[in-house]
Amino acid sequence: TPKKPAATVTAVPKEEPAAATGGEARDVRLYWVRVSDDSVIHLEKTSRKINVGDSPLTATVRTILKGPSSDDLNRGLQSVIPPGTRLLSAYVQNGTAFLNFSEEFQYNPTGAEGARAQLRQIVWTATEFDTVKAVQILIEGKRQAFLGGDGIAIGKPLSRSDLN
């Protein structure tokens, strides 16, 4: 009898849940970085109107993960959050936002300064919400002591003052 051909398996990337189509459009504040001529990374706040659906924090963090708009890019703004990073879940408890990212978040190709800047992008953006005073970073649902191999402590909630 003839052999059946081996089945071909194609990996399908995990999709993020579709954004809610209902809900209000609202201005949110996002933080991007600008790298100066002397290679110093500066944080810069922008505003963008997005559909926030049922969870303004989740919608805002997912927007920053998508990257800067063409207008932001034309102004020299960029993101240092590792490409492919996804927000898996988010909730706020007692003033702390628990943001659960995919594993890509922990591997910043730009080194320690880039990793610190990515944390600042996330913490500054999340703490624009009145209900958020600090951010606990989770990777694939687990609390990690450090971000990547650069020794930046993420084992406890981070406030803006922790990253100045």
Side-chain angles (χ1 to χ4, degrees), residues 13 25 28 32 64 74 76 90 94 114 116-117 124 128 137 146 152-153 163:
V28 295
W32 307 109
I64 203 165
N74 289 337
N94 299 324
R116 187 172 185 74
W124 263 251
E128 283 289 333
I137 302 291
F146 299 100
I152 300 171
L163 295 168

Side-chain angles (χ1 to χ4, degrees), residues 1-159:
T1 60
K3 285 188 170 179
K4 288 185 183 176
T8 304
V9 178
T10 305
V12 177
K14 284 197 267 183
E15 292 289 323
E16 287 185 35
T21 54
E24 64 178 303
R26 135 175 171 187
D27 280 325
V28 295
R29 288 168 296 282
L30 306 169
Y31 285 83
W32 307 109
V33 299
R34 179 185 304 277
V35 180
S36 64
D37 292 339
D38 56 353
S39 298
V40 176
I41 298 174
H42 302 278
L43 211 55
E44 192 165 317
K45 179 167 65 170
T46 64
S47 184
R48 189 183 298 175
K49 189 174 280 298
I50 65 168
N51 184 342
V52 296
D54 293 334
S55 176
L57 176 62
T58 299
T60 300
V61 173
R62 285 193 171 140
T63 297
I64 203 165
L65 294 178
K66 289 177 187 167
S69 68
S70 56
D71 287 344
D72 293 329
L73 291 169
N74 289 337
R75 291 179 34 230
L77 302 177
Q78 57 185 306
S79 177
V80 290
I81 297 169
T85 296
R86 291 172 293 118
L87 180 67
L88 303 177
S89 63
Y91 66 93
V92 178
Q93 184 176 35
N94 299 324
T96 298
F98 289 80
L99 301 179
N100 180 21
F101 294 101
S102 61
E103 67 181 330
E104 291 87 352
F105 188 80
Q106 65 186 337
Y107 303 112
N108 194 301
T110 58
E113 285 304 308
R116 187 172 185 74
Q118 93 184 41
L119 289 171
R120 291 180 78 211
Q121 276 187 262
I122 294 294
V123 170
W124 263 251
T125 296
T127 56
E128 283 289 333
F129 290 88
D130 292 338
T131 56
V132 178
K133 303 299 177 222
V135 176
Q136 176 62 64
I137 302 291
L138 304 171
I139 309 291
E140 298 287 338
K142 297 184 178 92
R143 192 180 298 225
Q144 305 284 337
F146 299 100
L147 183 64
D150 296 313
I152 300 171
I154 60 168
K156 67 174 185 69
L158 301 170
S159 67

